[in-house]
Amino acid sequence: EVQLLESGGGLVQPGGSLRLSCAASGFTFSIYAMSWVRQAPGEGLEWVSTVTADGNITYYADSVKGRFTISRDNSKNTLSLQITSLTTEDTAVYFCARHDYSGCYDFWGQGILVTVSS
Amino acid sequence: EIVLTQSPATLSLSPGERATLSCRASQSVTTYLAWYQQKPGQAPRLLISDASNRATGIPGRFSGSGSGTDFTLTISSLEPEDFAVYYCKQRSDWPRTFGQGTKVEMK
């Protein structure tokens, strides 16, 4: 059974940093591209970042470029998102998601809440 | 950035009725458009990929159509579990973008 389990969220002050993790199991992690998608409270979905299966190519939304870093450790089946210089606009539930063959997100984690507040 | 505009924002229907949701792209995405369903407190679920391909396990009452800039998600006969928010998303270009969502609510 495919499982994606996010961790690392919580309350952080503006300007602070967090590292989100997504533990993958039930599939061959190293052959799938992965993404982070977020959802602010009461709002829609926003794509944040994508990393290719080998970790060599990354993509970012303009809203997070230069502040967020996506990475993966295929030996540990783990996807990460290092988030820095946080603002209140980054308050959201962050989902990790697996790409299927067509680049769509066929499996999602349950999400982890990041709250940026003083 | 490709902007996806979904309409209507809210659709009020009864079980058994047909739901027609629209997604319009600001420029052509060919058929690189997907539809997702999200229920409160849950992660989104992939329904349709590449405009018209039902994802694994998705019931036949869900269908997608369209190409270029205009796309439609149709639910032929609403079941109680179909009342949710639906998002379209394009993978034609970076950055990937989602529509703002259509809420299908029970009338």
Side-chain angles (χ1 to χ4, degrees):
Chain A
E1 180 192 4
V2 172
Q3 289 194 343
L4 298 169
L5 185 62
E6 300 97 338
S7 61
L11 175 64
V12 61
Q13 291 189 336
S17 300
L18 275 179
R19 187 178 185 87
L20 305 183
S21 295
C22 172
S25 61
F27 65 101
T28 305
F29 180 71
S30 62
I31 65 173
Y32 288 88
M34 299 290 296
S35 287
W36 289 95
V37 175
R38 69 182 180 182
Q39 186 169 37
E43 301 295 325
L45 301 170
E46 179 188 15
W47 170 77
V48 172
S49 183
T50 294
V51 62
T52 54
D54 61 8
N56 287 340
I57 302 174
T58 58
Y59 302 89
Y60 297 95
D62 286 346
S63 59
V64 308
K65 201 172 294 183
R67 300 188 300 121
F68 289 18
T69 303
I70 191 171
S71 62
R72 63 192 297 159
D73 185 338
N74 286 344
S75 68
K76 296 181 179 178
N77 294 343
T78 301
L79 175 72
S80 297
L81 186 69
Q82 179 71 42
I83 52 180
T84 64
S85 303
L86 283 158
T87 74
T88 56
E89 301 291 305
D90 297 314
T91 293
V93 173
Y94 286 72
F95 297 97
C96 63
R98 188 185 84 166
H99 290 220
D100 69 5
Y101 71 95
S102 68
C104 297
Y105 310 144
D106 62 348
F107 284 94
W108 298 63
Q110 84 290 349
I112 190 80
L113 177 63
V114 172
T115 303
V116 184
S117 175
S118 55
Chain B
E1 171 176 316
I2 297 175
V3 176
L4 299 179
T5 302
Q6 292 186 240
S7 61
T10 303
L11 202 49
S12 298
L13 295 168
S14 300
E17 290 193 295
R18 182 183 189 90
T20 303
L21 288 68
S22 174
C23 177
R24 178 163 289 177
S26 59
Q27 63 190 75
S28 176
V29 299
T30 59
T31 57
Y32 295 143
L33 189 106
W35 291 94
Y36 296 85
Q37 176 195 67
Q38 189 180 32
K39 298 179 182 179
Q42 295 185 17
R45 177 174 71 146
L46 176 65
L47 298 176
I48 302 286
S49 64
D50 291 348
S52 60
N53 298 324
R54 262 192 309 278
T56 302
I58 301 303
R61 63 181 181 273
F62 291 92
S63 63
S65 64
S67 65
T69 60
D70 289 293
F71 299 86
T72 301
L73 174 69
T74 301
I75 310 171
S76 59
S77 178
L78 282 163
E79 296 288 339
E81 62 268 27
D82 299 337
F83 292 92
V85 179
Y86 293 83
Y87 295 94
C88 57
K89 174 194 159 282
Q90 63 82 19
R91 67 174 185 93
S92 175
D93 199 6
W94 301 98
R96 303 307 196 219
T97 48
F98 287 90
Q100 82 280 15
T102 289
K103 182 179 182 180
V104 178
E105 66 175 22
M106 199 173 297
K107 193 173 184 180

